[in-house]
Amino acid sequence: QVRLVESGGGLAQPGGSLRLSCAASGLYLYYYGIGWFRQAPGKDREGVSCISSKDGPKYYLSDVKGRFSVSRDKDKNTVYLQMNNLKPEDTAIYYCATVICAENGLGYDDNDYWGQGTQVTISS
């Protein structure tokens, strides 16, 4: 059974940092593109970042470029999203999922796997 589990969310102050983790069981993430999405209350879900399979190209939403960084630890079968210089508008539930990742964006379909999400709240 495939399972993706996000962790690392929480409360941080503006300007602070958080590192989200997406750990997998039942599949080897190295061979999958992995994307990070977020959904804030009342807003549509948006793709924030992704890393291609076999550590290929990465993508970042313009709003997070230069602040967020996606990486992969093959030994731990985990993908990370390092989030620095956080802003109140980064507040959302963050999800990881298997995706098709390219330098200019990411895509997914009904066959992709999703985690349950982790809450990120940025507030002073």
Side-chain angles (χ1 to χ4, degrees), residues 21-121:
S21 299
C22 175
S25 57
L27 77 169
Y28 188 38
L29 292 185
Y30 181 69
Y31 293 114
Y32 289 82
I34 300 298
W36 286 97
F37 298 80
R38 67 186 180 187
Q39 187 165 21
K43 295 188 177 181
D44 293 334
R45 182 172 55 194
E46 61 179 355
V48 174
S49 179
C50 66
I51 182 169
S52 301
S53 62
K54 304 177 185 178
D55 292 340
K58 300 177 182 179
Y59 162 79
Y60 296 99
L61 185 68
S62 58
D63 287 352
V64 307
K65 200 170 290 185
R67 301 189 297 121
F68 290 12
S69 178
V70 62
S71 62
R72 187 198 310 270
D73 186 323
K74 291 186 289 184
D75 293 337
K76 295 183 177 179
N77 203 25
T78 299
V79 170
Y80 301 100
L81 184 68
Q82 177 68 44
M83 307 188 296
N84 299 326
N85 191 21
L86 285 160
K87 303 176 181 181
E89 50 265 41
D90 294 319
T91 295
I93 300 174
Y94 284 71
Y95 302 88
C96 66
T98 56
V99 299
I100 299 296
C101 180
E103 287 185 352
N104 59 352
L106 69 169
Y108 59 91
D109 61 27
D110 290 342
N111 294 317
D112 282 302
Y113 301 103
W114 289 80
Q116 83 290 347
T118 185
Q119 176 70 48
V120 170
T121 303

